[in-house]
């Protein structure tokens, strides 16, 4: 009799592994059509049940032989006869792997390996009956077309807290995430819950961890309006501060210049308007220009200041101009509308330097008229 010994059986308790449910596997029977020579005395090595992360629920290094039979009922294999508790984890398969040997006198024969056998917990719900599953191997270790069949039962006992559905792969209401550990219950008008992560998805223009705040530049019980001076109502992303001297703000946040103002910031006056409020009107003409305040600045030879409606061009021999009024100031000895007449009517000439006919002397006051009478005539 071959010495058989059990090296280890490892069952990890459910509280030590994150999982979504508790299940059981029951190994029912193994049948093998291989030609064992005389009679088959099967036993198993490295019989492992584990999930994809390597968490082991069973690890039997070697079992006792099962006697002379090609069909092994696991209820008679003491190392494999008990129901095997497993932890079901969302997204992880549970697989069975093992080697089949035939005990012979002298050297034992390696018959085959069956590995990667996925137990389909994902297709059943908790609390139900046992489900059956068969796994088939069509070729033995010699490459012969010799079929083997493993038949098992499996069931889900319960889903862990917050898990439900097929294979305990879904979250109960208001729980989210791969571990169904994220709680989120929608609050009408405040937030919904992201269908995958369970993060709060703020409604409308709400913001903050619990969606109790408003996004930037919004306010109100339902974040329904813009903070003062932000436009337009849909986005509230344009700041416009009204300037009572320059512009108002439109509902779109554009600056609407007040009357007589222009440019992007309404800092300038439209043409011919001046002053702080652009209300001073000044149209430049041939007689004046306009200063920054809209006052008239007389061009040369126009008077008086700020009126510029009196032209006066000095005539060197006749007159100068009053710098205040623009009136002609006749030069000494001159008179008349254009100062082109001599005040002394007995004088003529550009500078009134000559006497009119028949008047003589420095002041042209001496009258003398020549005569042609030969007896009494005279000259002057």
């Amino acid at each position: 009799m071959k010495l058989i010994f059990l090296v280890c059986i490892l069952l990890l308790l459910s509280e030590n592994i994150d999982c979504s449910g508790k299940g059981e596997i029951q190994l029912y029977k193994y049948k093998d059509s291989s030609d064992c020579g005389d009679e088959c005395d099967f036993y198993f090595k490295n019989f492992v049940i584990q999930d994809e992360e390597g968490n082991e629920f069973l690890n039997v290094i070697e079992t006792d032989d099962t006697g002379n039979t090609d069909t092994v009922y696991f209820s008679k294999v003491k190392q494999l006869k008990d129901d095997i508790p497993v932890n079901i984890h969302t997204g992880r398969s549970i697989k069975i792997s093992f080697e089949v040997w035939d005990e012979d006198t002298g050297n034992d024969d390696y018959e085959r390996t069956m590995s990667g056998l996925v137990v389909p917990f994902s297709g059943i719900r908790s609390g139900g009956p046992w489900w059956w599953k068969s796994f088939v191997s069509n070729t033995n270790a010699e490459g012969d077309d010799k079929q083997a069949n493993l038949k098992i039962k499996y069931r889900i006992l319960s889903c862990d807290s917050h898990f439900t559905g097929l294979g305990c792969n879904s979250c109960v209401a208001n729980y989210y995430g791969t571990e169904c550990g994220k709680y989120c219950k929608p609050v009408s008008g405040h937030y919904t819950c992201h269908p995958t992560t369970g993060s709060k998805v703020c409604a409308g223009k709400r913001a903050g961890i619990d969606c109790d705040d408003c996004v930037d530049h919004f306010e109100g019980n339902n974040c329904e309006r813009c903070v003062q001076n932000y436009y337009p109502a849909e986005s509230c992303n344009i700041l416009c501060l009204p300037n009572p001297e320059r512009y108002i703000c439109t509902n779109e946040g554009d600056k609407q210049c007040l009357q007589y103002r222009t440019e992007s910031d309404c800092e300038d006056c439209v043409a011919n308007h001046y002053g702080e409020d652009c209300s001073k009107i000044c149209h430049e003409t041939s007689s004046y220009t306009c200063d920054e305040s809209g006052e008239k600045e007389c061009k040369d030879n126009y008077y008086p200041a700020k009126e510029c409606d009196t032209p006066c061009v000095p005539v060197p021999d006749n007159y100068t101009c009053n710098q205040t009024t623009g009136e002609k100031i006749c030069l000494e000895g001159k008179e008349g509308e254009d100062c082109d007449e001599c005040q002394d009517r007995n004088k003529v000439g550009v500078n009134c330097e000559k006497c009119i006919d028949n008047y003589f002397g420095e002041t042209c006051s001496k009258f003398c008229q020549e005569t042609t009478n030969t007896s009494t005539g005279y000259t002057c």
Side-chain angles (χ1 to χ4, degrees):
M1 176 69 66
K2 178 179 176 181
L3 178 62
I4 302 298
F5 61 92
L6 177 66
V7 176
C8 104
I9 298 177
L10 178 60
L11 291 174
L12 298 179
L13 298 178
S14 60
E15 57 265 28
N16 293 329
I17 302 176
D18 281 339
C19 60
S20 57
K22 306 294 189 301
E24 287 182 326
I25 296 174
Q26 185 182 101
L27 301 173
Y28 178 63
K29 73 176 180 180
Y30 174 80
K31 182 176 178 63
D32 197 319
S33 63
S34 295
D35 184 2
C36 299
D38 46 9
E39 293 181 337
C40 295
D41 296 310
F42 292 129
Y43 66 94
F44 305 95
K45 286 187 177 182
N46 300 316
F47 206 115
V48 176
I49 299 178
Q50 63 182 5
D51 66 19
E52 290 180 315
E53 295 294 317
N55 297 306
E56 294 181 347
F57 308 106
L58 177 74
N59 190 336
V60 174
I61 302 302
E62 187 173 322
T63 68
D64 298 337
D65 69 72
T66 58
N68 299 323
T69 179
D70 61 358
T71 301
V72 177
Y73 289 91
F74 288 101
S75 59
K76 298 180 180 180
V77 182
K78 71 176 182 179
Q79 294 89 354
L80 301 175
K81 66 183 180 65
D82 296 326
D83 294 347
I84 302 158
V86 295
N87 293 298
I88 300 166
H89 194 290
T90 301
R92 296 182 193 171
S93 299
I94 294 178
K95 298 179 180 181
I96 301 173
S97 299
F98 58 92
E99 298 173 8
V100 182
W101 291 74
D102 175 33
E103 183 180 29
D104 282 331
T105 303
N107 294 321
D108 294 349
D109 295 326
Y110 164 61
E111 293 297 332
R112 74 177 73 225
T113 295
M114 295 182 71
S115 63
L117 310 179
V118 177
V119 183
F121 283 106
S122 61
I124 64 173
R125 297 181 183 275
S126 67
W130 286 101
W131 291 79
W132 291 92
K133 175 65 177 176
S134 293
F135 302 97
V136 176
S137 170
N138 290 311
T139 307
N140 63 15
E142 299 296 326
D144 297 330
D145 293 333
K146 299 295 183 178
Q147 191 176 83
N149 180 282
L150 172 70
K151 192 170 186 178
I152 68 167
K153 294 194 295 184
Y154 63 100
R155 65 181 175 180
I156 297 177
L157 298 174
S158 65
C159 292
D160 283 7
S161 177
H162 310 156
F163 287 89
T164 188
L166 292 174
C168 299
N169 280 334
S170 302
C171 300
V172 298
N174 302 324
Y175 281 87
Y176 303 85
T178 56
E179 303 297 333
C180 296
K182 179 70 174 180
Y183 177 78
C184 179
K185 185 175 182 179
V187 176
S188 178
H190 282 248
Y191 60 84
T192 57
C193 303
H194 189 280
T196 302
T197 66
S199 299
K200 294 174 181 176
V201 180
C202 294
K205 302 299 181 181
R206 292 195 169 276
I209 296 176
D210 293 320
C211 304
D212 292 330
D213 301 324
C214 298
V215 298
D216 289 345
H217 313 147
F218 279 84
E219 64 180 4
N221 292 335
N222 295 308
C223 303
E224 73 279 4
R225 64 177 180 269
C226 296
V227 173
Q228 186 177 12
N229 299 324
Y230 278 90
Y231 309 84
E234 298 79 17
S235 58
C236 301
N237 61 342
I238 298 175
L239 174 65
C240 182
L241 298 172
N243 185 324
E245 296 180 353
R246 293 185 179 183
Y247 56 83
I248 60 175
C249 298
T250 69
N251 290 335
E252 297 302 315
D254 298 321
K255 295 173 182 176
Q256 180 175 306
C257 295
L258 299 178
Q259 190 176 24
Y260 309 132
R261 287 199 170 273
T262 186
E263 297 302 325
S264 60
D265 285 325
C266 307
E267 69 273 20
D268 294 339
C269 298
V270 297
N272 303 319
H273 285 74
Y274 301 85
E276 288 296 323
D277 60 359
C278 298
S279 62
K280 180 73 173 178
I281 299 175
C282 180
H283 295 271
E284 293 188 1
T285 67
S286 59
S287 61
Y288 61 83
T289 58
C290 304
D291 66 14
E292 292 182 353
S293 65
E295 295 295 339
K296 297 175 181 177
E297 288 188 336
C298 297
K299 294 182 179 181
D300 291 343
N301 304 318
Y302 283 90
Y303 307 90
K306 299 186 179 181
E307 294 295 334
C308 312
D309 55 0
T310 303
C312 181
V313 180
V315 177
D317 294 322
N318 289 355
Y319 58 84
T320 59
C321 299
N322 185 306
Q323 297 299 303
T324 300
T325 65
E327 294 179 333
K328 297 173 182 176
I329 302 174
C330 293
L331 296 179
E332 186 178 358
K334 293 293 185 79
E335 66 177 8
E337 184 177 353
D338 293 321
C339 302
D340 55 358
E341 300 174 9
C342 296
Q343 287 178 334
D344 189 339
R345 298 303 184 188
N346 296 335
K347 293 182 178 182
V348 295
V350 174
N351 294 309
C352 298
E353 73 282 4
K354 298 177 183 180
C355 296
I356 62 175
D357 291 345
N358 301 320
Y359 282 84
F360 301 91
E362 288 185 7
T363 60
C364 298
S365 60
K366 181 67 175 178
F367 180 77
C368 177
Q369 186 175 16
E370 293 183 358
T371 179
T372 58
N373 191 306
T374 57
S375 60
T376 62
Y378 57 86
T379 61
C380 300

